[in-house]
Amino acid sequence: FLIENHAYFAQQQFTIADDWFVTAGARIDDNSRFGTEVSPKLSVGGYPVPFSTGPVSSVKVFATIGRGIKNPTFGELFGGFVDGNPNLNPERARTIDIGAEVTFDDQRWLTRVTYFDNNYEDQVAFQFSPGFGGDGIPDFLNIAGSQANGVELEVGLQRPIGGVTASATYALVDTEVGATVS
């Protein structure tokens, strides 16, 4: 079996008034089995409070939206030690995140909060078939839809105190499988 995949990527970043930026990009996947797909991405952000000295050293805000695609692997399609599924569809995703980052004490300390909302379609999942491998029953299938959203929190010491830096992160993720089998 032969599957050819060619990918092309373009990105452009724009700066506005030295403190704001916009990045626009797209990836084009041209696959001999699944066709041509375009995955765009747009990021915006900036500094309402630019880098400075003082108790609040900077405030940065940002947001990103994008789409993506991942074609099934050769093993998922055609198997190996398990039965492949030549009827699999590519996985598709839409992702959004928005957040803020604040630095304190002459940029020594950093805090960041990010909200994200991701939507997935046709995820490739593995399930044991009754005979597991060589029984002709596919062990890979598409899960029709799932969602993941939540909040990520980060606190960090960016400039060392006594040679020590540290950071702590926490993520609250709420996931839901909207439909199980396509």
Side-chain angles (χ1 to χ4, degrees):
F1 299 99
L2 175 66
I3 299 174
E4 289 187 21
N5 191 65
H6 300 277
Y8 310 93
F9 182 79
Q11 178 175 298
Q12 180 65 47
Q13 183 169 334
F14 305 95
T15 303
I16 303 165
D18 292 331
D19 293 327
W20 297 91
F21 58 89
V22 175
T23 304
R27 176 183 165 121
I28 300 171
D29 285 282
D30 184 19
N31 184 282
S32 62
R33 183 178 181 92
F34 298 108
T36 302
E37 294 284 339
V38 177
S39 300
K41 182 177 180 182
L42 178 66
S43 299
V44 296
Y47 292 89
V49 177
F51 289 109
S52 63
T53 59
V56 175
S57 309
S58 68
V59 176
K60 175 175 127 179
V61 294
F62 53 88
T64 303
I65 186 169
R67 287 190 325 173
I69 185 168
K70 179 185 172 288
N71 293 319
T73 66
F74 192 85
E76 291 167 342
L77 289 169
F78 303 110
F81 294 107
V82 298
D83 290 310
N85 183 351
N87 298 316
L88 290 173
N89 295 318
E91 298 177 333
R92 299 175 192 286
R94 186 266 309 138
T95 61
I96 297 173
D97 65 67
I98 185 168
E101 175 183 291
V102 180
T103 60
F104 302 94
D105 188 23
D106 296 332
Q107 300 174 24
R108 181 173 301 273
W109 297 93
L110 168 120
T111 60
R112 180 181 300 129
V113 60
T114 306
Y115 169 78
F116 61 91
D117 182 36
N118 303 321
N119 185 42
Y120 306 99
E121 295 176 4
D122 288 328
Q123 287 176 280
V124 175
F126 178 81
Q127 71 174 5
F128 287 106
S129 62
F132 184 63
D135 59 5
I137 300 171
D139 290 300
F140 293 98
L141 58 98
N142 285 112
I143 295 174
S146 65
Q147 297 177 337
N149 57 54
V151 177
E152 295 175 344
L153 306 171
E154 180 180 356
V155 176
L157 173 63
Q158 333 188 92
R159 291 194 3 242
I161 295 177
V164 175
T165 61
S167 67
T169 59
Y170 173 78
L172 174 64
V173 182
D174 182 23
T175 60
E176 178 182 331
V177 176
T180 55
V181 180
S182 62

